[in-house]
PDB file of all heavy atoms in Angstrom:
ATOM      1  N   TYR A 330     -26.368  68.083 -35.750  1.00  0.00           N
ATOM      2  CA  TYR A 330     -25.436  69.128 -36.257  1.00  0.00           C
ATOM      3  C   TYR A 330     -26.163  70.436 -36.538  1.00  0.00           C
ATOM      4  O   TYR A 330     -25.781  71.530 -36.095  1.00  0.00           O
ATOM      5  CB  TYR A 330     -24.664  68.613 -37.435  1.00  0.00           C
ATOM      6  CG  TYR A 330     -23.576  69.551 -37.870  1.00  0.00           C
ATOM      7  CD1 TYR A 330     -22.407  69.703 -37.133  1.00  0.00           C
ATOM      8  CD2 TYR A 330     -23.715  70.349 -39.037  1.00  0.00           C
ATOM      9  CE1 TYR A 330     -21.420  70.597 -37.510  1.00  0.00           C
ATOM     10  CE2 TYR A 330     -22.722  71.215 -39.448  1.00  0.00           C
ATOM     11  CZ  TYR A 330     -21.553  71.355 -38.650  1.00  0.00           C
ATOM     12  OH  TYR A 330     -20.599  72.214 -39.038  1.00  0.00           O
ATOM     13  N   LYS A 331     -27.230  70.325 -37.363  1.00  0.00           N
ATOM     14  CA  LYS A 331     -27.875  71.578 -37.798  1.00  0.00           C
ATOM     15  C   LYS A 331     -28.498  72.352 -36.633  1.00  0.00           C
ATOM     16  O   LYS A 331     -28.277  73.526 -36.463  1.00  0.00           O
ATOM     17  CB  LYS A 331     -28.935  71.243 -38.892  1.00  0.00           C
ATOM     18  CG  LYS A 331     -29.489  72.550 -39.443  1.00  0.00           C
ATOM     19  CD  LYS A 331     -30.377  72.314 -40.620  1.00  0.00           C
ATOM     20  CE  LYS A 331     -31.045  73.586 -41.188  1.00  0.00           C
ATOM     21  NZ  LYS A 331     -31.079  74.746 -40.326  1.00  0.00           N
ATOM     22  N   THR A 334     -25.674  73.778 -34.303  1.00  0.00           N
ATOM     23  CA  THR A 334     -24.923  74.805 -34.996  1.00  0.00           C
ATOM     24  C   THR A 334     -25.773  76.073 -35.169  1.00  0.00           C
ATOM     25  O   THR A 334     -25.317  77.182 -34.940  1.00  0.00           O
ATOM     26  CB  THR A 334     -24.482  74.275 -36.365  1.00  0.00           C
ATOM     27  OG1 THR A 334     -23.647  73.158 -36.102  1.00  0.00           O
ATOM     28  CG2 THR A 334     -23.586  75.274 -37.087  1.00  0.00           C
ATOM     29  N   ASP A 335     -27.044  75.864 -35.504  1.00  0.00           N
ATOM     30  CA  ASP A 335     -27.941  77.061 -35.665  1.00  0.00           C
ATOM     31  C   ASP A 335     -28.049  77.801 -34.367  1.00  0.00           C
ATOM     32  O   ASP A 335     -28.024  79.037 -34.350  1.00  0.00           O
ATOM     33  CB  ASP A 335     -29.376  76.597 -36.129  1.00  0.00           C
ATOM     34  CG  ASP A 335     -29.398  76.198 -37.604  1.00  0.00           C
ATOM     35  OD1 ASP A 335     -28.335  76.412 -38.265  1.00  0.00           O
ATOM     36  OD2 ASP A 335     -30.408  75.663 -38.040  1.00  0.00           O
ATOM     37  N   VAL A 338     -24.790  79.702 -33.716  1.00  0.00           N
ATOM     38  CA  VAL A 338     -24.604  80.852 -34.622  1.00  0.00           C
ATOM     39  C   VAL A 338     -25.531  81.977 -34.236  1.00  0.00           C
ATOM     40  O   VAL A 338     -25.153  83.157 -34.183  1.00  0.00           O
ATOM     41  CB  VAL A 338     -24.840  80.376 -36.080  1.00  0.00           C
ATOM     42  CG1 VAL A 338     -24.960  81.588 -37.015  1.00  0.00           C
ATOM     43  CG2 VAL A 338     -23.763  79.408 -36.513  1.00  0.00           C
ATOM     44  N   TYR A 371      -6.316  84.886 -40.007  1.00  0.00           N
ATOM     45  CA  TYR A 371      -6.848  83.524 -39.826  1.00  0.00           C
ATOM     46  C   TYR A 371      -8.286  83.391 -40.416  1.00  0.00           C
ATOM     47  O   TYR A 371      -8.651  82.331 -40.912  1.00  0.00           O
ATOM     48  CB  TYR A 371      -6.861  83.176 -38.323  1.00  0.00           C
ATOM     49  CG  TYR A 371      -5.591  82.514 -37.922  1.00  0.00           C
ATOM     50  CD1 TYR A 371      -4.640  83.174 -37.131  1.00  0.00           C
ATOM     51  CD2 TYR A 371      -5.278  81.157 -38.286  1.00  0.00           C
ATOM     52  CE1 TYR A 371      -3.485  82.571 -36.745  1.00  0.00           C
ATOM     53  CE2 TYR A 371      -4.092  80.567 -37.915  1.00  0.00           C
ATOM     54  CZ  TYR A 371      -3.167  81.279 -37.154  1.00  0.00           C
ATOM     55  OH  TYR A 371      -2.026  80.656 -36.783  1.00  0.00           O
ATOM     56  N   ILE A 372      -9.031  84.475 -40.329  1.00  0.00           N
ATOM     57  CA  ILE A 372     -10.433  84.400 -40.987  1.00  0.00           C
ATOM     58  C   ILE A 372     -10.245  84.162 -42.488  1.00  0.00           C
ATOM     59  O   ILE A 372     -10.953  83.320 -43.087  1.00  0.00           O
ATOM     60  CB  ILE A 372     -11.219  85.671 -40.629  1.00  0.00           C
ATOM     61  CG1 ILE A 372     -11.495  85.606 -39.075  1.00  0.00           C
ATOM     62  CG2 ILE A 372     -12.495  85.696 -41.399  1.00  0.00           C
ATOM     63  CD1 ILE A 372     -12.154  86.882 -38.521  1.00  0.00           C
ATOM     64  N   SER A 373      -9.262  84.878 -43.092  1.00  0.00           N
ATOM     65  CA  SER A 373      -9.045  84.657 -44.527  1.00  0.00           C
ATOM     66  C   SER A 373      -8.536  83.223 -44.767  1.00  0.00           C
ATOM     67  O   SER A 373      -8.978  82.571 -45.733  1.00  0.00           O
ATOM     68  CB  SER A 373      -7.998  85.637 -45.059  1.00  0.00           C
ATOM     69  OG  SER A 373      -8.305  86.894 -44.740  1.00  0.00           O
ATOM     70  N   ILE A 374      -7.624  82.739 -43.920  1.00  0.00           N
ATOM     71  CA  ILE A 374      -7.133  81.402 -44.127  1.00  0.00           C
ATOM     72  C   ILE A 374      -8.257  80.377 -44.069  1.00  0.00           C
ATOM     73  O   ILE A 374      -8.315  79.470 -44.880  1.00  0.00           O
ATOM     74  CB  ILE A 374      -6.044  81.098 -43.032  1.00  0.00           C
ATOM     75  CG1 ILE A 374      -4.760  81.910 -43.281  1.00  0.00           C
ATOM     76  CG2 ILE A 374      -5.708  79.599 -42.966  1.00  0.00           C
ATOM     77  CD1 ILE A 374      -3.798  81.906 -42.096  1.00  0.00           C
ATOM     78  N   GLY A 375      -9.125  80.526 -43.049  1.00  0.00           N
ATOM     79  CA  GLY A 375     -10.256  79.619 -42.913  1.00  0.00           C
ATOM     80  C   GLY A 375     -11.109  79.569 -44.179  1.00  0.00           C
ATOM     81  O   GLY A 375     -11.478  78.495 -44.655  1.00  0.00           O
ATOM     82  N   LYS A 376     -11.384  80.740 -44.758  1.00  0.00           N
ATOM     83  CA  LYS A 376     -12.183  80.774 -45.965  1.00  0.00           C
ATOM     84  C   LYS A 376     -11.469  80.055 -47.092  1.00  0.00           C
ATOM     85  O   LYS A 376     -12.095  79.294 -47.842  1.00  0.00           O
ATOM     86  CB  LYS A 376     -12.478  82.243 -46.354  1.00  0.00           C
ATOM     87  CG  LYS A 376     -13.419  82.957 -45.451  1.00  0.00           C
ATOM     88  CD  LYS A 376     -13.569  84.386 -45.935  1.00  0.00           C
ATOM     89  CE  LYS A 376     -14.284  85.249 -44.984  1.00  0.00           C
ATOM     90  NZ  LYS A 376     -14.120  86.700 -45.279  1.00  0.00           N
ATOM     91  N   GLU A 377     -10.156  80.346 -47.209  1.00  0.00           N
ATOM     92  CA  GLU A 377      -9.390  79.682 -48.281  1.00  0.00           C
ATOM     93  C   GLU A 377      -9.393  78.189 -48.134  1.00  0.00           C
ATOM     94  O   GLU A 377      -9.361  77.434 -49.097  1.00  0.00           O
ATOM     95  CB  GLU A 377      -7.939  80.201 -48.281  1.00  0.00           C
ATOM     96  CG  GLU A 377      -7.785  81.549 -48.921  1.00  0.00           C
ATOM     97  CD  GLU A 377      -6.465  82.242 -48.454  1.00  0.00           C
ATOM     98  OE1 GLU A 377      -5.563  81.552 -48.061  1.00  0.00           O
ATOM     99  OE2 GLU A 377      -6.476  83.496 -48.516  1.00  0.00           O
ATOM    100  N   GLU A 378      -9.396  77.716 -46.878  1.00  0.00           N
ATOM    101  CA  GLU A 378      -9.382  76.287 -46.612  1.00  0.00           C
ATOM    102  C   GLU A 378     -10.738  75.633 -46.855  1.00  0.00           C
ATOM    103  O   GLU A 378     -10.831  74.400 -46.769  1.00  0.00           O
ATOM    104  CB  GLU A 378      -8.991  76.050 -45.153  1.00  0.00           C
ATOM    105  CG  GLU A 378      -7.528  76.326 -44.829  1.00  0.00           C
ATOM    106  CD  GLU A 378      -7.191  76.112 -43.334  1.00  0.00           C
ATOM    107  OE1 GLU A 378      -7.978  76.600 -42.490  1.00  0.00           O
ATOM    108  OE2 GLU A 378      -6.260  75.418 -43.018  1.00  0.00           O
ATOM    109  N   GLY A 379     -11.727  76.454 -47.056  1.00  0.00           N
ATOM    110  CA  GLY A 379     -13.098  75.870 -47.389  1.00  0.00           C
ATOM    111  C   GLY A 379     -14.036  75.876 -46.195  1.00  0.00           C
ATOM    112  O   GLY A 379     -15.122  75.314 -46.317  1.00  0.00           O
ATOM    113  N   ALA A 380     -13.634  76.446 -45.071  1.00  0.00           N
ATOM    114  CA  ALA A 380     -14.566  76.576 -43.956  1.00  0.00           C
ATOM    115  C   ALA A 380     -15.589  77.696 -44.282  1.00  0.00           C
ATOM    116  O   ALA A 380     -15.264  78.636 -44.981  1.00  0.00           O
ATOM    117  CB  ALA A 380     -13.841  76.881 -42.678  1.00  0.00           C
ATOM    118  N   LYS A 381     -16.802  77.543 -43.810  1.00  0.00           N
ATOM    119  CA  LYS A 381     -17.853  78.524 -44.129  1.00  0.00           C
ATOM    120  C   LYS A 381     -18.053  79.457 -42.934  1.00  0.00           C
ATOM    121  O   LYS A 381     -18.242  78.985 -41.814  1.00  0.00           O
ATOM    122  CB  LYS A 381     -19.136  77.765 -44.419  1.00  0.00           C
ATOM    123  CG  LYS A 381     -20.192  78.540 -45.031  1.00  0.00           C
ATOM    124  CD  LYS A 381     -21.378  77.641 -45.434  1.00  0.00           C
ATOM    125  CE  LYS A 381     -22.653  78.381 -45.015  1.00  0.00           C
ATOM    126  NZ  LYS A 381     -23.660  77.558 -44.440  1.00  0.00           N
ATOM    127  N   VAL A 382     -18.023  80.793 -43.231  1.00  0.00           N
ATOM    128  CA  VAL A 382     -18.334  81.714 -42.111  1.00  0.00           C
ATOM    129  C   VAL A 382     -19.844  81.793 -41.935  1.00  0.00           C
ATOM    130  O   VAL A 382     -20.580  82.252 -42.834  1.00  0.00           O
ATOM    131  CB  VAL A 382     -17.777  83.128 -42.479  1.00  0.00           C
ATOM    132  CG1 VAL A 382     -18.202  84.158 -41.400  1.00  0.00           C
ATOM    133  CG2 VAL A 382     -16.260  83.108 -42.598  1.00  0.00           C
ATOM    134  N   ALA A 383     -20.326  81.321 -40.792  1.00  0.00           N
ATOM    135  CA  ALA A 383     -21.777  81.365 -40.559  1.00  0.00           C
ATOM    136  C   ALA A 383     -22.253  82.668 -39.888  1.00  0.00           C
ATOM    137  O   ALA A 383     -23.398  83.055 -40.020  1.00  0.00           O
ATOM    138  CB  ALA A 383     -22.179  80.160 -39.694  1.00  0.00           C
ATOM    139  N   THR A 384     -21.318  83.275 -39.192  1.00  0.00           N
ATOM    140  CA  THR A 384     -21.594  84.652 -38.659  1.00  0.00           C
ATOM    141  C   THR A 384     -20.300  85.320 -38.434  1.00  0.00           C
ATOM    142  O   THR A 384     -19.276  84.668 -38.180  1.00  0.00           O
ATOM    143  CB  THR A 384     -22.491  84.621 -37.381  1.00  0.00           C
ATOM    144  OG1 THR A 384     -22.731  85.974 -37.029  1.00  0.00           O
ATOM    145  CG2 THR A 384     -21.735  83.941 -36.212  1.00  0.00           C
ATOM    146  N   GLY A 385     -20.320  86.660 -38.500  1.00  0.00           N
ATOM    147  CA  GLY A 385     -19.075  87.424 -38.253  1.00  0.00           C
ATOM    148  C   GLY A 385     -18.170  87.471 -39.443  1.00  0.00           C
ATOM    149  O   GLY A 385     -18.616  87.431 -40.617  1.00  0.00           O
ATOM    150  N   GLY A 386     -16.878  87.532 -39.168  1.00  0.00           N
ATOM    151  CA  GLY A 386     -15.892  87.504 -40.221  1.00  0.00           C
ATOM    152  C   GLY A 386     -15.358  88.905 -40.594  1.00  0.00           C
ATOM    153  O   GLY A 386     -14.324  89.022 -41.267  1.00  0.00           O
ATOM    154  N   PRO A 400     -17.388  88.677 -33.451  1.00  0.00           N
ATOM    155  CA  PRO A 400     -17.295  87.267 -33.096  1.00  0.00           C
ATOM    156  C   PRO A 400     -17.706  86.405 -34.300  1.00  0.00           C
ATOM    157  O   PRO A 400     -18.709  86.722 -34.951  1.00  0.00           O
ATOM    158  CB  PRO A 400     -18.271  87.154 -31.902  1.00  0.00           C
ATOM    159  CG  PRO A 400     -18.998  88.448 -31.776  1.00  0.00           C
ATOM    160  CD  PRO A 400     -18.315  89.463 -32.611  1.00  0.00           C
ATOM    161  N   THR A 401     -16.924  85.411 -34.536  1.00  0.00           N
ATOM    162  CA  THR A 401     -17.048  84.678 -35.813  1.00  0.00           C
ATOM    163  C   THR A 401     -17.183  83.197 -35.559  1.00  0.00           C
ATOM    164  O   THR A 401     -16.494  82.621 -34.706  1.00  0.00           O
ATOM    165  CB  THR A 401     -15.750  84.935 -36.626  1.00  0.00           C
ATOM    166  OG1 THR A 401     -15.645  86.355 -36.832  1.00  0.00           O
ATOM    167  CG2 THR A 401     -15.745  84.200 -37.950  1.00  0.00           C
ATOM    168  N   VAL A 402     -18.084  82.555 -36.354  1.00  0.00           N
ATOM    169  CA  VAL A 402     -18.206  81.121 -36.273  1.00  0.00           C
ATOM    170  C   VAL A 402     -17.968  80.504 -37.634  1.00  0.00           C
ATOM    171  O   VAL A 402     -18.651  80.861 -38.595  1.00  0.00           O
ATOM    172  CB  VAL A 402     -19.639  80.690 -35.807  1.00  0.00           C
ATOM    173  CG1 VAL A 402     -19.728  79.178 -35.742  1.00  0.00           C
ATOM    174  CG2 VAL A 402     -19.979  81.306 -34.400  1.00  0.00           C
ATOM    175  N   PHE A 403     -16.986  79.664 -37.706  1.00  0.00           N
ATOM    176  CA  PHE A 403     -16.739  78.868 -38.896  1.00  0.00           C
ATOM    177  C   PHE A 403     -17.533  77.525 -38.733  1.00  0.00           C
ATOM    178  O   PHE A 403     -17.360  76.857 -37.695  1.00  0.00           O
ATOM    179  CB  PHE A 403     -15.278  78.481 -39.059  1.00  0.00           C
ATOM    180  CG  PHE A 403     -14.441  79.516 -39.717  1.00  0.00           C
ATOM    181  CD1 PHE A 403     -13.395  80.142 -39.037  1.00  0.00           C
ATOM    182  CD2 PHE A 403     -14.671  79.904 -41.049  1.00  0.00           C
ATOM    183  CE1 PHE A 403     -12.613  81.117 -39.663  1.00  0.00           C
ATOM    184  CE2 PHE A 403     -13.883  80.870 -41.679  1.00  0.00           C
ATOM    185  CZ  PHE A 403     -12.902  81.482 -40.977  1.00  0.00           C
ATOM    186  N   VAL A 404     -18.329  77.134 -39.696  1.00  0.00           N
ATOM    187  CA  VAL A 404     -18.970  75.822 -39.611  1.00  0.00           C
ATOM    188  C   VAL A 404     -18.346  74.954 -40.726  1.00  0.00           C
ATOM    189  O   VAL A 404     -17.606  75.483 -41.570  1.00  0.00           O
ATOM    190  CB  VAL A 404     -20.516  75.929 -39.777  1.00  0.00           C
ATOM    191  CG1 VAL A 404     -21.105  76.654 -38.566  1.00  0.00           C
ATOM    192  CG2 VAL A 404     -20.928  76.597 -41.039  1.00  0.00           C
ATOM    193  N   ASP A 405     -18.714  73.691 -40.683  1.00  0.00           N
ATOM    194  CA  ASP A 405     -18.224  72.726 -41.655  1.00  0.00           C
ATOM    195  C   ASP A 405     -16.664  72.744 -41.714  1.00  0.00           C
ATOM    196  O   ASP A 405     -16.071  72.642 -42.784  1.00  0.00           O
ATOM    197  CB  ASP A 405     -18.795  72.956 -43.037  1.00  0.00           C
ATOM    198  CG  ASP A 405     -20.308  73.001 -43.035  1.00  0.00           C
ATOM    199  OD1 ASP A 405     -20.856  72.499 -42.081  1.00  0.00           O
ATOM    200  OD2 ASP A 405     -20.891  73.538 -43.999  1.00  0.00           O
ATOM    201  N   THR A 406     -16.016  72.887 -40.590  1.00  0.00           N
ATOM    202  CA  THR A 406     -14.576  72.785 -40.550  1.00  0.00           C
ATOM    203  C   THR A 406     -14.179  71.350 -40.351  1.00  0.00           C
ATOM    204  O   THR A 406     -14.986  70.510 -39.896  1.00  0.00           O
ATOM    205  CB  THR A 406     -13.975  73.620 -39.415  1.00  0.00           C
ATOM    206  OG1 THR A 406     -14.476  73.152 -38.187  1.00  0.00           O
ATOM    207  CG2 THR A 406     -14.288  75.096 -39.530  1.00  0.00           C
ATOM    208  N   ASP A 407     -12.955  71.015 -40.687  1.00  0.00           N
ATOM    209  CA  ASP A 407     -12.451  69.717 -40.208  1.00  0.00           C
ATOM    210  C   ASP A 407     -11.125  69.956 -39.549  1.00  0.00           C
ATOM    211  O   ASP A 407     -10.508  70.983 -39.712  1.00  0.00           O
ATOM    212  CB  ASP A 407     -12.443  68.670 -41.378  1.00  0.00           C
ATOM    213  CG  ASP A 407     -11.278  68.806 -42.265  1.00  0.00           C
ATOM    214  OD1 ASP A 407     -10.118  68.697 -41.783  1.00  0.00           O
ATOM    215  OD2 ASP A 407     -11.485  69.050 -43.450  1.00  0.00           O
ATOM    216  N   MET A 410      -7.695  71.514 -40.781  1.00  0.00           N
ATOM    217  CA  MET A 410      -7.612  72.939 -41.201  1.00  0.00           C
ATOM    218  C   MET A 410      -6.760  73.722 -40.180  1.00  0.00           C
ATOM    219  O   MET A 410      -6.772  73.447 -38.968  1.00  0.00           O
ATOM    220  CB  MET A 410      -8.965  73.602 -41.294  1.00  0.00           C
ATOM    221  CG  MET A 410      -9.823  73.041 -42.412  1.00  0.00           C
ATOM    222  SD  MET A 410     -11.493  73.823 -42.346  1.00  0.00           S
ATOM    223  CE  MET A 410     -12.215  73.095 -43.833  1.00  0.00           C
ATOM    224  N   VAL A 412      -7.337  76.644 -39.086  1.00  0.00           N
ATOM    225  CA  VAL A 412      -8.231  77.300 -38.091  1.00  0.00           C
ATOM    226  C   VAL A 412      -8.662  76.344 -37.014  1.00  0.00           C
ATOM    227  O   VAL A 412      -9.205  76.791 -35.994  1.00  0.00           O
ATOM    228  CB  VAL A 412      -9.429  77.989 -38.778  1.00  0.00           C
ATOM    229  CG1 VAL A 412      -9.041  79.262 -39.502  1.00  0.00           C
ATOM    230  CG2 VAL A 412     -10.241  77.037 -39.633  1.00  0.00           C
ATOM    231  N   VAL A 421     -13.002  83.557 -32.472  1.00  0.00           N
ATOM    232  CA  VAL A 421     -13.252  82.788 -33.689  1.00  0.00           C
ATOM    233  C   VAL A 421     -13.440  81.293 -33.316  1.00  0.00           C
ATOM    234  O   VAL A 421     -12.497  80.695 -32.778  1.00  0.00           O
ATOM    235  CB  VAL A 421     -12.068  82.933 -34.701  1.00  0.00           C
ATOM    236  CG1 VAL A 421     -12.377  82.170 -36.010  1.00  0.00           C
ATOM    237  CG2 VAL A 421     -11.848  84.454 -34.989  1.00  0.00           C
ATOM    238  N   LEU A 422     -14.643  80.792 -33.552  1.00  0.00           N
ATOM    239  CA  LEU A 422     -14.932  79.405 -33.219  1.00  0.00           C
ATOM    240  C   LEU A 422     -14.942  78.527 -34.503  1.00  0.00           C
ATOM    241  O   LEU A 422     -15.411  78.977 -35.550  1.00  0.00           O
ATOM    242  CB  LEU A 422     -16.299  79.304 -32.557  1.00  0.00           C
ATOM    243  CG  LEU A 422     -16.477  80.215 -31.333  1.00  0.00           C
ATOM    244  CD1 LEU A 422     -17.899  80.081 -30.802  1.00  0.00           C
ATOM    245  CD2 LEU A 422     -15.449  79.866 -30.270  1.00  0.00           C
ATOM    246  N   ALA A 423     -14.454  77.289 -34.344  1.00  0.00           N
ATOM    247  CA  ALA A 423     -14.528  76.336 -35.465  1.00  0.00           C
ATOM    248  C   ALA A 423     -15.397  75.195 -35.045  1.00  0.00           C
ATOM    249  O   ALA A 423     -15.083  74.480 -34.094  1.00  0.00           O
ATOM    250  CB  ALA A 423     -13.101  75.867 -35.750  1.00  0.00           C
ATOM    251  N   VAL A 424     -16.526  75.056 -35.746  1.00  0.00           N
ATOM    252  CA  VAL A 424     -17.472  73.962 -35.388  1.00  0.00           C
ATOM    253  C   VAL A 424     -17.229  72.805 -36.392  1.00  0.00           C
ATOM    254  O   VAL A 424     -17.148  73.038 -37.588  1.00  0.00           O
ATOM    255  CB  VAL A 424     -18.972  74.471 -35.516  1.00  0.00           C
ATOM    256  CG1 VAL A 424     -19.935  73.368 -35.127  1.00  0.00           C
ATOM    257  CG2 VAL A 424     -19.180  75.732 -34.665  1.00  0.00           C
ATOM    258  N   MET A 425     -17.136  71.614 -35.825  1.00  0.00           N
ATOM    259  CA  MET A 425     -16.970  70.462 -36.690  1.00  0.00           C
ATOM    260  C   MET A 425     -17.796  69.289 -36.303  1.00  0.00           C
ATOM    261  O   MET A 425     -18.016  69.093 -35.102  1.00  0.00           O
ATOM    262  CB  MET A 425     -15.468  70.072 -36.780  1.00  0.00           C
ATOM    263  CG  MET A 425     -14.790  69.780 -35.485  1.00  0.00           C
ATOM    264  SD  MET A 425     -12.981  69.755 -35.678  1.00  0.00           S
ATOM    265  CE  MET A 425     -12.602  71.485 -35.431  1.00  0.00           C
ATOM    266  N   PRO A 426     -18.302  68.535 -37.268  1.00  0.00           N
ATOM    267  CA  PRO A 426     -19.150  67.416 -36.925  1.00  0.00           C
ATOM    268  C   PRO A 426     -18.346  66.117 -36.595  1.00  0.00           C
ATOM    269  O   PRO A 426     -17.225  65.978 -37.038  1.00  0.00           O
ATOM    270  CB  PRO A 426     -19.941  67.163 -38.225  1.00  0.00           C
ATOM    271  CG  PRO A 426     -19.025  67.668 -39.316  1.00  0.00           C
ATOM    272  CD  PRO A 426     -18.144  68.740 -38.708  1.00  0.00           C
TER     273      PRO A 426
END
Side-chain angles (χ1 to χ4, degrees):
Y330 187 73
K331 185 172 177 342
T334 302
D335 285 352
V338 169
Y371 269 107
I372 292 172
S373 305
I374 289 167
K376 289 179 192 164
E377 281 160 24
E378 287 178 312
K381 193 175 136 220
V382 175
T384 182
T401 300
V402 179
F403 276 117
V404 294
D405 304 343
T406 59
D407 80 61
M410 292 176 176
V412 287
V421 181
L422 306 178
V424 182
M425 56 194 87

